[in-house]
């Protein structure tokens, strides 16, 4: 019988993925890693929500970044998609392509998946491991009550538009970490050396985005539509508007910014980051006006910050409004993967 060498695919799976911290038991997971396929139950009153994100080294994360941070980010952005559907995390699978088997890297990567997997009771149930240019593909499965998922197509005229958290931090983080941004040469920090607290904040914003699972499981029933903000508010809200066949307005002075964004970036660049930057992973969602009081009470109870930034109207497109309510022109510049700059290992990146 062929015995795999110490760094064979099977050895990697056993040591780094079929571990008790990642591949732990959970109700409904009949069979996890080890057979030709995992077996999972779907309760009769639920839909299985499935979402996948592919992360390519040098494009979606910097070459040479800490493997545990890459892992955390890879799982977080997938969980964020489940939050945007109002689905509860159930389990995930991992497709991993590595140029060579590097034990230290694998140990860091594996430990970086554990925190969110445990926090959301979302075990690793299978995957595939192969050799090639580094890329990470995670597919998450979630459960959502039948016909209760928050679709992009559900926004109605008269609804309020909300966002969770603060906007623009993911894009500003690229600057703070010394990485290239697709937002152009004018997009820069207003300070030469951000404080240590700001640097930590931006590093966390980029590598440890918080998937809004708590908000979505408690208040998702009130969302008429939802999306997670991965490509900038402008482009992501536009998806809701297109699929719902409605228009929206955004009050620019209502857009919430972090203290770090306020202290490190000019007002123009903050707006650019919020509308066109991406990588924020908060939720943008719409709620009927009659449900806003209940929504705000739920968010307050959870300690999750949410902000009403505008309204859904009849028509199409987004109108931006200044502090006095008059229209403001904003040039569209949504993130395009095929024109994206390559992330390089910046001087400030640990
Ligand atoms: P097969 O050849 O049938 O596809 P594999 O040898 O690829 O099986 O995988 C063996 C087992 O290990 C399967 O249960 C598979 O789901 C799991 N597995 C492979 N790679 C990973 C990974 N990166 N993470 C988690 N499970 C994995
Ligand atoms: Mg396989």
């Amino acid at each position: 019988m062929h015995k795999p060498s110490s760094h064979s695919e099977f050895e990697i799976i056993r040591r780094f993925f079929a571990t008790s911290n990642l591949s732990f038991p959970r109700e409904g997971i009949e069979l996890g890693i080890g057979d030709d396929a995992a077996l999972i139950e779907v309760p009769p009153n639920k839909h299985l929500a499935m979402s996948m994100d592919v992360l390519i080294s040098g494009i979606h994360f910097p070459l040479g970044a800490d493997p545990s941070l890459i892992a955390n980010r890879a799982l977080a952005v997938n969980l964020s998609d489940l939050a945007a559907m109002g689905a509860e995390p159930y389990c995930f699978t991992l497709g991993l392509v590595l140029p060579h088997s590097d034990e230290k890297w694998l140990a860091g990567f594996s430990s970086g998946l554990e925190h969110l997997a445990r926090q959301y009771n979302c075990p690793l149930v299978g995957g595939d491991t192969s050799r090639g240019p580094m890329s990470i593909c995670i597919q998450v499965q979630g459960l959502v009550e039948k016909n209760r998922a928050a679709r992009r197509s559900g926004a109605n005229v008269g609804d309020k538009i909300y966002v969770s958290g603060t906007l623009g931090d993911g894009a500003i983080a690229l600057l703070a970490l010394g990485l290239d941004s697709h937002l152009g040469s004018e997009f820069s920090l207003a300070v030469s050396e951000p404080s240590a607290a700001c640097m930590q904040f931006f590093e966390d914003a980029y590598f440890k985005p918080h998937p809004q699972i708590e908000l979505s499981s408690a208040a998702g029933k009130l969302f008429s539509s939802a999306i997670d903000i991965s490509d900038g508010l402008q482009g992501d809200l536009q998806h809701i508007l297109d699929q719902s066949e409605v228009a929206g307005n955004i009050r620019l002075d209502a857009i919430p910014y972090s203290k770090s964004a306020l202290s490190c970036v000019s007002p123009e660049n903050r707006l650019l980051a919020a509308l066109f930057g991406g990588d924020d992973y908060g939720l943008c969602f719409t709620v009927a006006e009659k449900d806003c009081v209940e929504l705000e009470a739920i968010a307050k109870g959870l300690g999750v910050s949410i902000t009403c930034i505008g309204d859904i109207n009849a028509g199409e497109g987004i109108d931006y409004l200044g502090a006095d309510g008059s229209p403001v022109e904003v040039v569209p510049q949504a993130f395009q993967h095929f024109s994206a700059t390559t992330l390089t290992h910046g001087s400030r990146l640990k």
Side-chain angles (χ1 to χ4, degrees):
M1 195 202 287
H2 173 70
K3 190 170 178 300
S5 69
S6 64
H7 287 114
S8 74
E9 178 189 339
F10 304 108
E11 185 71 4
I12 290 174
I13 296 164
R14 188 185 63 76
R15 284 184 55 197
F16 301 108
F17 299 119
T19 64
S20 55
N21 282 333
L22 268 182
S23 184
F24 48 86
R26 160 179 185 153
E27 195 188 342
I29 308 296
E30 187 60 32
L31 184 64
I33 294 176
D35 214 310
D36 294 306
L39 299 173
I40 60 179
E41 261 169 44
V42 181
N45 57 337
K46 307 253 171 153
H47 278 148
L48 187 65
M50 296 200 287
S51 178
M52 175 188 278
D53 271 306
V54 177
L55 284 86
I56 313 279
S57 139
I59 296 178
H60 301 103
F61 58 89
L63 300 164
D66 179 333
S68 73
L69 294 179
I70 298 171
N72 190 286
R73 176 172 157 80
L75 187 51
V77 303
N78 273 277
L79 292 169
S80 176
D81 283 317
L82 290 183
M85 292 304 285
E88 167 209 358
Y90 196 19
C91 59
F92 73 105
T93 52
L94 168 68
L96 187 60
V97 183
L98 293 175
H100 50 262
S101 133
D102 175 340
E103 278 191 46
K104 208 167 149 228
W105 194 94
L106 281 160
F109 184 82
S110 167
S111 75
L113 292 173
E114 287 170 11
H115 176 68
L116 287 174
R118 280 283 182 195
Q119 183 176 356
Y120 294 113
N121 195 21
C122 185
L124 178 62
V125 298
D128 200 24
T129 307
S130 187
R131 193 182 291 259
M134 187 190 289
S135 72
I136 298 154
C137 175
I138 288 183
Q139 183 179 52
V140 279
Q141 281 81 27
L143 293 175
V144 59
E145 245 171 80
K146 276 189 181 165
N147 305 319
R148 297 303 290 271
R151 301 182 188 207
R152 294 179 181 183
S153 56
N156 299 301
V157 173
D159 286 356
K160 297 287 173 192
I161 304 171
Y162 279 83
V163 292
S164 71
T166 55
L167 299 187
D169 300 317
I172 299 167
L174 291 180
L175 298 177
L177 295 170
L179 299 167
D180 290 335
S181 159
H182 68 285
L183 293 176
S185 55
E186 303 275 290
F187 183 59
S188 57
L189 296 178
V191 292
S192 54
E193 205 55 52
S195 68
C198 286
M199 284 304 294
Q200 189 60 54
F201 174 85
F202 288 125
E203 187 174 310
D204 288 350
Y206 186 77
F207 283 111
K208 299 181 183 166
H210 182 74
Q212 294 297 322
I213 299 288
E214 295 81 3
L215 175 65
S216 126
S217 51
K221 59 180 193 269
L222 303 177
F223 299 172
S224 54
S225 71
I227 190 167
D228 66 325
I229 307 175
S230 54
D231 296 342
L233 177 65
Q234 202 265 357
D236 289 322
L237 174 61
Q238 190 64 55
H239 291 307
I240 287 185
L241 303 181
D242 287 344
Q243 296 197 24
S244 303
E245 299 183 11
V246 291
N249 62 46
I250 293 180
R251 292 184 301 277
L252 293 179
D253 64 332
I255 293 178
Y257 295 108
S258 65
K259 275 192 205 138
S260 299
L262 290 168
S263 68
C264 295
V265 182
S266 71
E268 297 74 28
N269 279 330
R270 278 201 297 274
L271 182 60
L272 201 63
L275 297 185
F276 305 112
D279 287 326
D280 279 331
Y281 298 104
L283 294 182
C284 172
F285 52 95
T286 57
V287 176
E289 199 168 0
K290 68 172 176 49
D291 293 329
C292 290
V293 171
E294 186 182 354
L295 167 79
E296 299 208 6
I298 292 173
K300 195 166 175 206
L302 290 171
V304 173
S305 95
I306 58 167
T307 310
C308 179
I309 56 164
D311 311 272
I312 296 292
N313 312 307
E316 56 183 42
I318 302 175
D319 287 326
Y320 294 99
L321 307 178
D324 60 358
S326 60
V328 175
E329 200 182 336
V330 173
V331 183
Q333 193 179 347
F335 180 79
Q336 299 289 331
H337 283 280
F338 293 104
S339 62
T341 46
T342 298
L343 293 179
T344 49
H345 198 128
S347 55
R348 291 218 183 89
L349 195 69
K350 278 188 223 151

